[in-house]
Amino acid sequence: MLLYLLKSIACMAIFFAFYKGVLEQLSIHRTKRMYLLGAALASLIVPLISYDVVVYTPEIAQGQTVIYQEASRAGDNTTPFDWANLAWMVYLIGASLFGLKFFINLGRIFLKIGHNPKSRCNGIVHVLLREKISPHTFFRYIFFNKRAFESREIPASVSIHEEAHARQLHTLDILIIELLQVLFWFNPFVHLMGRSIKLNHEFLADQAVIESGNSTNEYQQTLLA
């Protein structure tokens, strides 16, 4: 198991280094989305691939092996500390904490959806919240401040940005990477991959705004405001 984890971390480090060094500065955001998610999943699969190597060694007499083993056992009467159990305990505590945080956040989202007024438009559901929030998306649900939405204070470019998140199913990517963060919370590259995936989602949504005909300068001013 330890060897698998080390291989997985090494694979993800290589994939992420390639992304940072080669792909990150390119404007191929859809390709980068597929690469980042595929790299995260490949890092879990590649270490499972193995091949057999046959090595011929000289035969050792069975009697000699038994004598050596008995001598070793006789000379060591202490009970070694079980580091494996400690490692598993630390892992389970970390996974439990990250898992608890994940499900609490998920539960809060469902509560917001269920307990607030909603407005449907072209397959998108606008969830209207009383508290002041920045617009954000969960699958086909877009969360807006109720007063700002009803008074039409939200710029059209912001709505297009959030609709791009919804229609391109960016939430699915985030759920996958956050589940990996729960299971492999000790792997720093899982968290770095998650940040890069979310940042690339923003570039994709910004690209959708520009492609819809909005001026780049006006959109930049909207983001700053």
Side-chain angles (χ1 to χ4, degrees), residues 2-218:
L2 178 60
L3 182 59
Y4 166 78
L5 295 176
L6 292 175
K7 288 181 178 179
S8 177
I9 293 172
C11 286
M12 193 167 292
I14 293 170
F15 285 131
F16 187 70
F18 178 80
Y19 175 79
K20 295 292 288 186
V22 178
L23 298 179
E24 187 177 41
Q25 303 304 320
L26 303 179
S27 297
I28 48 173
H29 304 307
R30 291 182 177 86
T31 301
K32 291 193 294 185
R33 179 189 181 186
M34 291 186 291
Y35 174 85
L36 285 167
L37 196 60
L41 297 176
S43 298
L44 306 180
I45 298 172
V46 170
L48 296 174
I49 301 173
S50 61
Y51 54 91
D52 296 328
V53 176
V54 179
V55 178
Y56 294 96
T57 58
E59 294 185 0
I60 301 174
Q62 184 175 1
Q64 294 176 350
T65 304
V66 172
I67 293 171
Y68 174 77
Q69 290 175 347
E70 291 298 330
S72 299
R73 292 172 185 171
D76 185 9
N77 296 323
T78 60
T79 303
F81 184 79
D82 196 340
W83 291 101
N85 281 343
L86 178 62
W88 275 110
M89 187 179 299
V90 172
Y91 168 77
L92 291 174
I93 291 173
S96 298
L97 292 175
F98 276 88
L100 183 63
K101 179 183 177 183
F102 173 80
F103 286 109
I104 287 175
N105 290 337
L106 205 59
R108 286 175 177 169
I109 292 174
F110 285 121
L111 286 174
K112 287 180 180 179
I113 294 172
H115 292 87
N116 288 282
K118 291 175 281 292
S119 170
R120 298 178 183 271
C121 180
N122 298 326
I124 301 295
V125 181
H126 301 139
V127 183
L128 309 180
L129 308 179
R130 290 182 177 83
E131 61 265 29
K132 291 183 178 181
I133 59 163
S134 297
H136 54 279
T137 304
F138 181 78
F139 284 108
R140 293 278 174 158
Y141 296 92
I142 302 178
F143 300 85
F144 290 113
N145 173 260
K146 186 174 185 294
R147 185 194 61 78
F149 181 83
E150 292 178 343
S151 60
R152 301 184 184 277
E153 296 178 7
I154 298 171
S157 57
V158 173
S159 296
I160 295 171
H161 179 101
E162 296 303 326
E163 286 180 9
H165 284 311
R167 297 189 189 283
Q168 295 178 23
L169 296 177
H170 293 168
T171 304
L172 183 61
D173 299 6
I174 293 175
L175 287 180
I176 291 173
I177 198 67
E178 288 192 352
L179 283 173
L180 293 181
Q181 288 173 354
V182 171
L183 295 174
F184 300 95
W185 57 267
F186 52 87
N187 184 349
F189 296 101
V190 174
H191 302 280
L192 293 173
M193 282 270 195
R195 292 177 188 175
S196 294
I197 286 172
K198 292 175 183 178
L199 182 60
N200 191 60
H201 287 169
E202 296 305 315
F203 291 143
L204 283 166
D206 291 341
Q207 189 177 52
V209 174
I210 302 304
E211 289 175 354
S212 69
N214 283 267
S215 166
T216 303
N217 291 332
E218 289 180 3

